[in-house]
Amino acid sequence: MPVAPVTTPAPVSRAASVRADLRASLVVFLVAVPLSLGIALAAGAPLGAGIISAVVGGIVVGLLGGAPLQVSGPTAGLTVIVAGLVQNYGWRVTCLVTVGAGLLQILLGVARVARATLALSPAVVHGVVAGIGVVIALAQLHVVLGGAPQRSAWENLRELPRQIADLHTPAVAVGMITLALLLGWPLLGRLPGRGAALRRVPAPLVAVSLATACASVLHLDVARVDLSSVVFTTPVLPPSGAWGAIVVGVVSVALVSGMESLLSAAAVDRLHDGPRARLDRELIGQGVGNVVSGAIGGYPVTGVAIRSVTNVRAGAVTRAATILHGVWVMVFVALLGALVERIPLAVLAALVMAVGLQMVSLAHIRHVHRHREFPAYAATIAGVILAGVLQGVLLGVVVAVCTALYRLSRSTVRVHPGDGVLHVEVHGSLTFLSVPRLSRVLAKLPPGEHVVVDMTVDYLDQAAFEAVHSWRAGYLARGGRVDIEEIHDGCYERAAGGTPGPRRSRLTPSPRWFAPWWHWQRACPREDGTASQALVAGAREFRQRTAPLVQPFLERLALEGQKPAQLFITCADSRIVPNLITASGPGDLFTVRNVGNLVPSGDTARAEPGTGDASVGAAIEYAVSVLGVRSITVCGHSGCGAMKALLDKVGTVPDAGSRPGATPHLDRWLRHGDASLARFTAEPAPTVTGHTVPPVEQLCLTNVVQQLDNLRDHTVVAQAVAAGRLRLFGLYFDLASAQMYLYDAVRGDFGPVDAERAESGALPQAVPTSAEDHTFPALNPG
């Protein structure tokens, strides 16, 4: 996510790094203590087990894990599983399950399957989180009301009226105070003046501290924390007939804990510019942490999103912040345990209940509904609540697979007359599941007509082929005429005699999934045969084929307004297609194109108001101040005519064929490139890693760097960069090789946009206004 002013973060001195990590560790420590106690309470585990887990997660996983800025410890996501194990087999057997889950995670990490867990449908993942949140909230509501949670969510719901009728007023009072502070503190942080200072104080710390103080001052009779259980215990074997359930518990803890850790690590990577997470190493580190935690009586260890985000936002630079937070937890409990024991249990229950409610995210619901994944989401929630986490995951996966199969069986078939021809348009996946519906439509066509079957399909199996072929033969026998056209790899294919032929492309070497529109026009002659009609034919083709597919998405964009993540400044050259070279879609980029991808300096506009071209400056101000883009990219390219003009000291592009002085507007505009030319003659040009480039391309590279400097002369850009809201990127696109190169401000060169640079944080990532609202990846590393 864009939080720094250049493509590669500026080096941080060791002293500054130590100070930043120390501050972050203290902030995370203040959040970790109450959450660790509350989660252990919610699971029915000894409260000390949560503290042990926080210490092990901080020190052991912090040292060995592959996500340096991720914070590990007890998490609410395992509460349901751990609570069931504790109720059925006791805590020491649960510790054995934790050790077994850790060993399984180590094996999975060694087998390098960590990234495979990220392939799980987001709807299922969000459903698991939401279902666990509902179970937690229902259970802890009983504690807030002064009672005890039941064994299942259904029992908690059934017993709720009886619990409300038998309130324990002191517990309810401190619980309500805690909830009010948790909800109200973020609102106070939005107030002008001291709001920024308030935001730096974690809401859980404020809520727990003030609610505990109120309970002490008012001498309320409430149950409080008991740390006498902070002792090391060892696992024991379960009863002989319980091994099957124990194995299920090991798998459940390992998979849910591992999945949550890896998803959290991937999410944290989007929040900082430091080293990227090594997921297999992270899974091994989590496994070692669980082995150690379970062996000494601790709660299962997991990478925790809330504490990890707090760590990054508090300014952590290295894994030292994570390790130190574990040290502070250990020292605090050892020296100030009496202070912790003054915390009422109802306060911790209210804290965990609020966490559970936050796990049911309306943004996630909108996201899965928009992508038509709500059935899997709802099924997962229902399974988690009614049966358990593992059962909920399996149910969600089954529903997701069934939904995918249902979509695979659906194809759109429309019939409409036009110019004496019956057009049958077929869109989607044409499989054996679609044959009955397609056959019904074709059978209803009147005989003796000229029928054009337009098949725009992404998959055609043998059953569908045979069905269409058999229908065509019968229709021809009854005196009709049939033409079958198929769009594949970007061009029409009309088989000889109208028969559906092999799905082969006349375009090489285009990938099978990639169909650039210029290939459609150049490689596949249109029926009218005239170049002058290409644009009109393309518009007609868009209306008939593409518009129905993209209309729902564009309709949403029309209703919601534009929310681009990035301002993309590039050349007006006709060969540069911003959305194509960045793999982005409608609404992702706010694009400015001009001759030479020039950015007039903000100093020029201030020194000569009203005399320069204000369009670029206006676009920059609108993008940064109104749209709130998170990054600005300047993209140059090879063979730039504007750079040739500058290098040759000519006021027009050399091959334009115009006389000097015949293009006054262009001459005046190219003066904005004089600074690039002066920089090119005064200092060595940036290089491209592994390539030798001619002088005109060196000027293209220098021009990109100069325009980045010009951007920082604009007040709105300078302020946003200083505040950490904006990043600046330089790109160079080589047309002949179709390769993109990224500017590294530290090394002063351009390097290929590859996985290594992406892992190092140099690659600009897509940063939507919210992760749920982003549909198309921008500047995708591939």
Side-chain angles (χ1 to χ4, degrees):
M1 296 177 70
V3 292
V6 291
T7 56
T8 302
V12 180
S13 68
R14 184 173 182 83
S17 173
V18 170
R19 289 194 298 270
D21 288 335
L22 182 60
R23 286 194 303 269
S25 69
L26 291 171
V27 172
V28 178
F29 148 70
L30 294 174
V31 175
V33 170
L35 283 176
S36 300
L37 293 170
I39 290 167
L41 172 68
L47 297 183
I51 297 297
I52 293 172
S53 177
V55 174
V56 173
I59 298 176
V60 176
V61 182
L63 283 169
L64 303 178
L69 301 187
Q70 174 159 267
V71 179
S72 300
T75 176
L78 288 174
T79 299
V80 177
I81 300 174
V82 174
L85 291 170
V86 172
Q87 291 172 357
N88 292 324
Y89 306 106
W91 178 244
R92 296 183 68 185
V93 174
T94 303
C95 291
L96 178 68
V97 171
T98 302
V99 173
L103 293 174
L104 179 56
Q105 287 177 328
I106 294 173
L107 292 176
L108 293 174
V110 171
R112 305 181 68 83
V113 299
R115 290 195 178 276
T117 63
L118 301 181
L120 195 64
S121 169
V124 176
V125 175
H126 295 326
V128 169
V129 173
I132 292 173
V134 172
V135 174
I136 291 173
L138 285 174
Q140 296 312 297
L141 180 57
H142 282 267
V143 181
V144 172
L145 296 176
Q150 305 301 311
R151 294 177 63 89
S152 67
W154 171 247
E155 291 179 3
N156 280 318
L157 188 61
R158 186 184 60 192
E159 294 295 322
L160 189 58
R162 184 181 305 174
Q163 185 64 63
I164 294 175
D166 188 23
L167 293 177
H168 184 254
T169 305
V172 174
V174 295
M176 291 300 103
I177 291 173
T178 305
L179 288 174
L181 289 169
L182 287 171
L183 296 175
W185 192 254
L187 298 179
L188 292 176
R190 299 178 185 176
L191 296 176
R194 296 185 179 274
L198 295 177
R199 282 197 300 271
R200 296 191 183 97
V201 183
L205 175 64
V206 174
V208 172
S209 300
L210 293 182
T212 301
C214 290
S216 298
V217 171
L218 298 176
H219 302 289
L220 297 180
D221 181 19
V222 290
R224 300 178 186 272
V225 170
D226 180 10
L227 290 183
S228 60
S229 60
V230 185
V231 294
F232 296 145
T233 59
T234 55
V236 297
L237 296 177
S240 57
W243 277 105
I246 296 303
V247 171
V248 172
V250 167
V251 174
S252 299
V253 172
L255 293 184
V256 174
S257 171
M259 181 179 65
E260 185 171 350
S261 298
L262 297 177
L263 291 172
S264 174
V268 171
D269 272 355
R270 295 194 292 268
L271 299 178
H272 66 86
D273 295 314
R276 305 293 92 181
R278 298 166 58 185
L279 297 184
D280 290 306
R281 176 178 170 179
E282 177 65 15
L283 189 56
I284 294 173
Q286 295 290 337
V288 174
N290 275 315
V291 170
V292 174
S293 182
I296 60 177
Y299 194 93
V301 173
T302 307
V304 191
I306 294 177
R307 272 159 270 179
S308 300
V309 171
T310 302
N311 189 41
V312 174
R313 290 179 176 171
V317 177
T318 70
R319 65 176 68 243
T322 300
I323 299 170
L324 283 174
H325 117 273
V327 174
W328 303 144
V329 173
M330 179 173 59
V331 172
F332 178 77
V333 173
L335 300 181
L336 299 174
L339 183 61
V340 176
E341 290 183 327
R342 302 182 68 86
I343 301 175
L345 295 182
V347 170
L348 297 179
L351 174 63
V352 177
M353 186 176 76
V355 172
L357 293 175
Q358 292 171 357
M359 293 166 72
V360 185
S361 170
L362 293 178
H364 290 165
I365 294 175
R366 289 194 298 268
H367 177 68
V368 297
H369 184 269
R370 182 181 307 130
H371 293 281
R372 298 184 296 169
E373 298 285 350
F374 189 78
Y377 177 81
T380 306
I381 291 179
V384 170
I385 294 175
L386 298 178
V389 174
L390 192 58
Q391 294 88 337
V393 171
L394 294 176
L395 180 60
V397 169
V398 169
V399 173
V401 171
C402 291
T403 302
L405 291 176
Y406 173 77
R407 291 177 181 172
L408 188 63
S409 69
R410 301 295 294 175
S411 58
T412 303
V413 183
R414 289 195 298 267
V415 180
H416 61 85
D419 301 327
V421 178
L422 278 178
H423 290 273
V424 180
E425 295 184 357
V426 184
H427 299 271
S429 299
L430 203 55
T431 68
F432 67 95
L433 298 173
S434 306
V435 168
R437 181 166 180 266
L438 175 63
S439 298
R440 284 196 300 270
V441 173
L442 294 178
K444 293 179 181 179
L445 296 177
E449 299 285 343
H450 179 192
V451 178
V452 175
V453 180
D454 187 359
M455 300 176 63
T456 308
V457 296
D458 51 25
Y459 182 75
L460 176 68
D461 71 359
Q462 184 67 23
F465 172 84
E466 293 293 344
V468 176
H469 181 69
S470 298
W471 166 81
R472 175 190 169 275
Y475 196 82
L476 291 175
R478 294 192 297 273
R481 176 185 172 187
V482 177
D483 290 329
I484 297 181
E485 295 179 347
E486 180 183 6
I487 291 184
H488 182 63
D489 282 350
C491 68
Y492 282 105
E493 290 200 25
R494 183 191 295 265
T499 304
R503 292 171 61 85
R504 61 185 182 274
S505 174
R506 295 193 294 270
L507 309 178
T508 56
S510 176
R512 296 180 62 84
W513 49 266
F514 181 57
W517 58 88
W518 53 271
H519 274 202
W520 294 19
Q521 299 180 23
R522 294 184 182 179
C524 305
R526 299 184 182 277
E527 293 182 359
D528 52 41
T530 60
S532 61
Q533 297 296 322
L535 187 61
V536 174
R540 182 173 65 248
E541 196 166 278
F542 171 80
R543 176 178 60 81
Q544 293 177 351
R545 308 177 192 283
T546 309
L549 301 177
V550 302
Q551 187 273 333
F553 177 72
L554 294 178
E555 181 182 25
R556 180 170 65 84
L557 287 179
L559 292 175
E560 296 179 357
Q562 60 173 333
K563 299 178 182 177
Q566 304 175 44
L567 169 60
F568 195 82
I569 302 175
T570 191
C571 187
D573 192 295
S574 61
R575 299 165 295 179
I576 304 299
V577 187
N579 290 98
L580 180 65
I581 65 176
T582 60
S584 54
D588 288 341
L589 301 181
F590 186 71
T591 305
V592 172
R593 305 190 66 172
N594 61 54
V595 175
N597 47 272
L598 300 177
V599 180
S601 170
D603 289 339
T604 302
R606 287 189 291 270
E608 305 175 10
T611 61
D613 187 300
S615 64
V616 178
I620 292 170
E621 292 175 359
Y622 185 78
V624 176
S625 300
V626 180
L627 299 178
V629 297
R630 307 290 185 82
S631 69
I632 301 178
T633 299
V634 177
C635 180
H637 68 97
S638 61
C640 181
M643 297 302 105
K644 292 178 182 177
L646 287 173
L647 195 61
D648 294 341
K649 300 287 188 177
V650 178
T652 61
V653 179
D655 57 2
S658 58
R659 301 185 310 275
T663 53
H665 297 290
L666 181 59
D667 296 345
R668 185 166 60 251
W669 171 254
L670 288 178
R671 293 189 192 121
H672 293 301
D674 288 345
S676 298
L677 185 60
R679 184 173 192 151
F680 175 71
T681 57
E683 59 186 61
T687 59
V688 175
T689 303
H691 294 274
T692 301
V693 295
V696 67
E697 307 307 336
Q698 294 176 14
L699 179 57
C700 292
L701 299 172
T702 301
N703 182 58
V704 171
V705 179
Q706 180 61 45
Q707 304 318 310
L708 292 175
D709 288 347
N710 289 354
L711 274 171
R712 284 185 277 267
D713 288 336
H714 289 261
T715 303
V716 292
V717 174
Q719 292 175 347
V721 167
R725 300 191 308 271
L726 187 68
R727 290 178 73 184
L728 306 183
F729 296 107
L731 290 175
Y732 172 75
F733 181 60
D734 181 65
L735 287 169
S737 63
Q739 294 295 315
M740 190 86 77
Y741 297 92
L742 180 67
Y743 178 58
D744 188 322
V746 175
R747 296 190 299 189
D749 69 349
F750 286 78
V753 178
D754 54 17
E756 181 180 352
R757 291 207 168 210
E759 290 293 324
S760 70
L763 181 68
Q765 299 291 332
V767 184
T769 304
S770 66
E772 293 75 19
D773 289 337
H774 188 64
T775 304
F776 294 92
L779 296 177
N780 189 343

